[in-house]
Amino acid sequence: MTQGSPVPTPPTAADRQRAEQLRTLIGYHNHRYYVLDDPEIPDIEYDLLFNQLKDLESRHPELVTPDSPTQRVGDAPRPEFSQVRHRLPMISLDNAMDDEKLAEFHRKVVQDLENSDDVLYTAEPKLDGLAVSIRYVDGVLVQAATRGNGNVGEDVTHNVRTIKSVPLKLLGTDLPEILEVRGEVYLTTTGLEQVKTDARLSGDRDYKNARNTAAGSLRQLDPRVTAKRPLTFCCYGWGEFSGERPASQFDMLKRIASLGVPISSELQKVHGLQGCRDYYEEFARRRETLGYDIDGVVFKVDRLADRADLEDTNHHPTWAIARKFPPDEELTVVEDVEFQVGRTGVLTPVARLRPVEVGKVTVSNATLHNMGQVKEKDVHIGDSVYVRRAGDVIPEIVRVETALRPADARPVVLPAQCPACGSEVSRLEGEAVVRCTAGLKCPAQRKEAIRHFASRRAMDIEGVGDELISQLVDKGLVNSPADLYDLTGEQLVSLDLQGDKSARNILDAIERSKTTTLDRFIFSLGIPEVGEATAQDLAKHFRDLDPLCAATQEYFVPRGLDGIGRKRANAIQALVRSGQGPLPGISLAKWLSSQTLPGLKTRLPANVVKVVADRFTTFDALTRAELDELINHNPSRITGIDEKIASNIVEFFGKSNNKEMIKKLIRAGIQWPVAEPSSSSAHVKHLAGKTFVITGTLSRHRDEVKADLESLGAKVTSSVSKNTDYLLVGKDAGSKLRKAQEFGVMVITEEQLAELVGSKS
Ligand code: IVH
């Protein structure tokens, strides 16, 4: 054995005990310092404890645990971020930009809860950072992920571990087996100042705004870089939780705080709309003195059982709203207006501005959307204009200060040719926009299509950005997204690659992108008006690409009339075919509303009368109506796909060049897991196509139950109607149960559902 290297001795029971004690003590003092901002011991004593633990661990490496405070910063940079599928989706908030929208939100809550006006809300500031979900198992931090697209985010565990206010181990002894806390990672004003100073010292670029700097700091492959950024965390919600269900948002956040996780010191309960308004006004006043950036305040229905009775919208909860502050506005000058060609060929006027600082970011371009807006706002080149920037959206011109218009101001003229390729431009009937007619032959459209395809939320090909795409297209190496998969190392080496990009890394990223998910793939195709959420809906519904490609317009578009089922349709036909039409001079609507429907012994409600009369206008036309034209049915039952989007989808998959491109992509090896219905037992088939509504508190999280039902082919909607097949009831069911009884909808409990799907047998 080499001289001098001490023979490692196994730790004694006392060493073990001391290490455990030190970890707990340091965790406790860490919380006092970083979370409560109320240290009990001087820094020097804290350092002493920390060094004792480090010393003990270096003598006995087997004493190191993942939750040890010495283990905040790992060493090796990661090669890439891996993906994390959120067990419960991370949804985002709907925004109220003004008081009217807030009042509307409140009205809807009151209406759905059939409650007095005095709804209790929790109120918090809306922090301007980025959302993460942090998972604790038996009290130990095991994973942290960004929100990503709401379903899948990036694994940022190693970076989140470096945030001092995030406990590596929860405090106390009564720890839940599983707890996912959700909240915002952000920088305080002094934190941002520190990053800026460090950046200046190291000659780095200047960081202007707290949100982007926080996001950039968290999305670092090297956790040592993140560790140098004074990021902090504030919890405002939770995901999976195995403990006893709390009664309210407020109670749950207090419980989370008692486990050592920071929550907002401004968390309050407020009563009704007036309480929300007062809270908003208070923060509009205090905004500048908080010491961190906020872009509004958030209100959430406090009682968790109440949330169960609120209708869901597609992508936002109806039990919460963000009341946002009005965006910042500044005055500057329009130096020129140029036309940019977008992914679908649309020419968008973009104002080149004299650079001006708006909300801590320098703005030098603003979109004018379309020529209609240029006219409406009466923007001339040379005008002084107010520019607005809200959050991360593209800045826009609010209005012209006409009093300041110079004599030589010039009107904005729409070019007759595409500024990128010189092709004719055309205005489609019924559209406010003008497009370049060259399609993917136009280099600008080609670049945009490829940029979209490779972007983070689509195929996520790291390193394939604007600059590279521009070179690839200009050199004729890539003409469509599918061509990316033919690129060779030599071709890439021949380009002028910027910064730390290497041909190898780019090829690797392209190769990795071949394994994807169906929703990402659909989104990446760039079908007009098919955004991420619609792509997710389509993927979920069709499960694979072929059935989606084969879907016809009829498949998507609901037929028949709102409010008319088979019974009413039959009754209307019987009524009109019995020949007793309206007397001359009496409108179809008036006549219909006076008629008792044969067999049903009721009249049609006013709203249904209107729908029928608007569609058929005359009695004669109505007598000729087929049952199919009357009965309301939506074969696809995918919400949110209107006629326009449906025709975009059908048209896209009908075009031969798109078919070719998709074939080529598949041949290149692009693949995704195909979701199979999770069981094919005979019982389960009963559920295919059935519509469920859930009410009350269930034994599992509602989203989990919903996901299970959907995986069995059932559809879960938010409000009870006569089309509902089953109402699944939990504890404290309210108005939905009453409605279901009214409509004669089958009511079942969780146990009965379990029997129905055969999971108990
Ligand atoms: S609640 C289901 N509360 O704002 C509700 N969000 O869409 C989920 N944010 O992604 C969000 N402060 O990044 C909530 N007190 C707060 C918040 C907050 C900031 C962010 C969060 C979210 C986005 C809103």
Side-chain angles (χ1 to χ4, degrees):
M1 180 166 287
T2 329
Q3 269 271 307
S5 66
V7 181
T9 50
T12 62
D15 288 335
R16 281 186 194 284
Q17 209 178 9
R18 180 66 184 151
E20 168 70 30
Q21 191 186 30
L22 283 168
R23 282 196 299 266
T24 308
L25 258 177
I26 295 167
Y28 172 79
H29 289 299
N30 190 71
H31 178 248
R32 300 239 32 145
Y33 187 94
Y34 288 104
V35 179
L36 302 181
D37 196 13
D38 182 19
E40 253 177 30
I41 53 171
D43 293 2
I44 187 156
E45 265 179 49
Y46 179 87
D47 294 344
L48 217 62
L49 292 173
F50 199 88
N51 287 334
Q52 275 185 24
L53 180 61
K54 254 171 114 174
D55 182 50
L56 195 55
E57 287 178 346
S58 72
R59 278 185 289 123
H60 304 292
E62 56 269 68
L63 290 181
V64 178
T65 57
D67 60 324
S68 167
T70 60
Q71 303 301 304
R72 280 203 179 264
V73 190
D75 38 20
R78 319 263 112 198
E80 59 173 332
F81 291 107
S82 46
Q83 302 213 313
V84 175
R85 177 163 286 278
H86 299 300
R87 288 170 177 81
L88 299 174
M90 288 181 79
I91 35 182
S92 61
L93 294 167
D94 203 2
N95 291 330
M97 297 306 298
D98 55 28
D99 187 62
E100 180 42 41
K101 181 92 194 280
L102 178 68
E104 192 187 301
F105 160 76
H106 175 69
R107 262 199 308 277
K108 187 121 202 332
V109 169
V110 171
Q111 184 192 327
D112 276 0
L113 294 181
E114 298 172 359
N115 227 322
S116 72
D117 275 1
D118 189 24
V119 182
L120 198 58
Y121 296 102
T122 46
E124 298 151 286
K126 183 168 186 300
L127 296 161
D128 208 2
L130 74 158
V132 296
S133 183
I134 309 175
R135 186 174 173 85
Y136 291 89
V137 174
D138 293 329
V140 178
L141 189 161
V142 296
Q143 189 172 58
T146 60
R147 175 171 178 274
N149 66 8
N151 293 317
V152 178
E154 282 176 330
D155 188 332
V156 285
T157 313
H158 293 83
N159 296 341
V160 166
R161 288 176 64 90
T162 69
I163 302 173
K164 303 279 196 354
S165 53
V166 172
L168 296 178
K169 178 151 205 275
L170 298 177
L171 301 185
T173 45
D174 180 18
L175 300 177
E177 192 185 323
I178 293 172
L179 171 63
E180 276 174 15
V181 296
R182 289 176 172 183
E184 203 83 346
V185 168
Y186 65 103
L187 275 169
T188 60
T189 317
T190 44
L192 179 64
E193 284 311 315
Q194 187 197 314
V195 177
K196 281 194 200 171
T197 314
D198 292 352
R200 270 196 294 274
L201 292 180
S202 63
D204 231 348
R205 74 188 171 94
D206 199 8
Y207 295 89
K208 277 243 154 84
N209 108 348
R211 185 236 294 261
N212 293 343
T213 311
S217 303
L218 192 66
R219 292 195 70 254
Q220 289 285 338
L221 288 169
D222 187 348
R224 288 169 299 192
V225 177
T226 310
K228 288 196 197 117
R229 308 282 168 81
L231 292 171
T232 181
F233 175 73
C234 175
C235 165
Y236 51 66
W238 62 96
E240 206 181 342
F241 172 52
S242 62
E244 194 179 321
R245 228 152 244 291
S248 71
Q249 171 88 17
F250 193 86
D251 292 353
M252 181 65 181
L253 289 181
K254 289 286 174 190
R255 164 123 170 79
I256 290 175
S258 76
L259 297 170
V261 178
I263 62 168
S264 173
S265 57
E266 309 288 353
L267 176 73
Q268 270 182 37
K269 289 190 198 181
V270 299
H271 285 276
L273 182 57
Q274 196 51 47
C276 294
R277 286 177 169 150
D278 294 344
Y279 190 88
Y280 169 81
E281 292 301 337
E282 180 192 334
F283 279 84
R285 273 196 306 278
R286 289 176 49 201
R287 182 178 183 184
E288 297 303 329
T289 60
L290 291 172
Y292 47 87
D293 278 1
I294 65 172
D295 57 351
V297 290
V298 179
F299 303 114
K300 297 171 187 160
V301 171
D302 189 46
R303 221 172 76 95
L304 299 184
D306 278 347
R307 289 187 190 169
D309 268 343
L310 292 172
E311 297 204 10
D312 294 333
T313 60
N314 259 353
H315 304 287
H316 301 300
T318 36
W319 46 263
I321 192 121
R323 170 71 168 102
K324 303 257 278 198
F325 295 131
D328 291 320
E329 289 179 13
E330 296 298 336
L331 194 65
T332 188
V333 173
V334 177
E335 293 183 327
D336 199 2
V337 171
E338 289 171 9
F339 286 82
Q340 245 168 28
V341 186
R343 180 156 56 87
T344 54
V346 173
L347 263 57
T348 306
V350 179
R352 306 289 175 216
L353 304 169
R354 183 171 299 162
V356 61
E357 200 162 296
V358 190
K360 301 185 189 150
V361 167
T362 306
V363 169
S364 40
N365 300 305
T367 176
L368 280 157
H369 301 287
N370 54 49
M371 284 307 278
Q373 290 237 351
V374 174
K375 295 245 148 45
E376 195 185 310
K377 289 180 180 159
D378 191 26
V379 177
H380 284 53
I381 297 164
D383 268 344
S384 290
V385 293
Y386 283 96
V387 178
R388 169 194 292 174
R389 197 188 138 266
D392 258 358
V393 303
I394 313 164
E396 59 176 5
I397 289 179
V398 192
R399 69 192 152 84
V400 174
E401 191 58 272
T402 22
L404 297 177
R405 176 167 293 165
D408 60 353
R410 286 180 290 132
V412 179
V413 185
L414 187 69
Q417 269 103 29
C418 167
C421 71
S423 307
E424 294 287 300
V425 299
S426 80
R427 186 189 296 268
L428 290 186
E429 211 178 314
E431 276 193 64
V433 296
V434 171
R435 291 172 196 271
C436 159
T437 50
L440 284 184
K441 290 194 199 86
C442 167
Q445 289 186 55
R446 218 179 291 153
K447 286 177 192 174
E448 284 302 307
I450 299 167
R451 194 186 56 71
H452 172 77
F453 180 85
S455 64
R456 201 147 75 76
R457 305 213 140 168
M459 299 299 280
D460 192 18
I461 315 184
E462 214 179 315
V464 179
D466 288 354
E467 178 51 40
L468 179 67
I469 294 171
S470 231
Q471 290 192 48
L472 290 170
V473 171
D474 291 344
K475 295 216 158 92
L477 292 173
V478 169
N479 289 314
S480 89
D483 293 345
L484 287 172
Y485 295 92
D486 290 339
L487 279 175
T488 64
E490 292 88 78
Q491 286 172 328
L492 285 169
V493 169
S494 75
L495 303 173
D496 176 18
L497 295 179
Q498 290 195 325
D500 55 357
K501 280 183 197 162
S502 74
R504 185 73 262 149
N505 288 346
I506 294 169
L507 287 179
D508 284 350
I510 293 177
E511 188 58 33
R512 273 199 306 275
S513 74
K514 288 182 181 171
T515 305
T516 184
T517 54
L518 180 59
D519 60 310
R520 274 179 182 271
F521 184 72
I522 296 171
F523 176 57
S524 76
L525 294 174
I527 306 165
E529 291 177 74
V530 174
E532 246 182 324
T534 306
Q536 284 171 10
D537 291 345
L538 290 169
K540 204 157 146 192
H541 181 82
F542 287 99
R543 295 167 195 259
D544 204 352
L545 192 65
D546 289 339
L548 169 62
C549 293
T552 58
Q553 177 85 6
E554 288 69 45
Y555 184 79
F556 291 106
V557 181
R559 264 179 299 163
L561 300 179
D562 247 5
I564 300 196
R566 181 162 295 278
K567 280 192 196 143
R568 275 189 183 158
N570 275 320
I572 293 173
Q573 252 192 3
L575 173 72
V576 294
R577 293 192 175 167
S578 67
Q580 316 270 329
L583 295 170
I586 306 285
S587 71
L588 177 62
K590 190 147 188 204
W591 176 77
L592 264 177
S593 57
S594 70
Q595 299 295 307
T596 305
L597 295 176
L600 294 183
K601 303 202 181 85
T602 55
R603 296 182 191 184
L604 283 175
N607 54 338
V608 180
V609 167
K610 185 169 180 330
V611 171
V612 177
D614 285 352
R615 164 72 178 75
F616 292 98
T617 351
T618 66
F619 177 75
D620 274 354
L622 184 57
T623 55
R624 288 192 300 270
E626 299 288 333
L627 269 187
D628 221 30
E629 292 175 78
L630 292 169
I631 301 172
N632 182 240
H633 74 139
N634 176 345
S636 81
R637 295 193 143 186
I638 314 175
T639 46
I641 298 208
D642 62 15
E643 216 162 319
K644 180 79 197 311
I645 302 179
S647 88
N648 290 344
I649 296 171
V650 175
E651 193 180 315
F652 183 91
F653 289 111
K655 281 193 179 154
S656 57
N657 55 340
N658 291 332
K659 284 190 203 160
E660 272 311 306
M661 179 177 77
I662 292 171
K663 261 198 217 146
K664 193 167 172 204
L665 287 167
I666 307 283
R667 251 187 279 131
I670 290 187
Q671 49 171 326
W672 50 83
V674 176
E676 291 293 340
S678 54
S679 166
S680 58
S681 86
H683 292 303
V684 173
K685 287 219 176 99
H686 297 325
L687 294 195
K690 295 281 188 241
T691 302
F692 279 76
V693 172
I694 305 178
T695 187
T697 313
L698 304 177
S699 67
R700 292 186 300 150
H701 194 286
R702 184 178 278 229
D703 289 341
E704 284 176 43
V705 178
K706 186 169 172 215
D708 278 359
L709 284 169
E710 285 173 347
S711 73
L712 295 171
K715 182 178 158 74
V716 181
T717 63
S718 49
S719 51
V720 175
S721 74
K722 57 185 184 322
N723 297 325
T724 309
D725 295 305
Y726 293 101
L727 179 76
L728 176 61
V729 288
K731 268 208 327 244
D732 300 326
S735 57
K736 287 185 184 171
L737 179 56
R738 283 193 295 283
K739 251 196 209 163
Q741 285 159 346
E742 240 170 70
F743 285 127
V745 168
M746 174 97 79
V747 175
I748 59 169
T749 62
E750 276 184 282
E751 288 75 31
Q752 289 167 327
L753 175 67
E755 268 171 38
L756 194 65
V757 300
S759 63
K760 283 209 158 168
S761 54

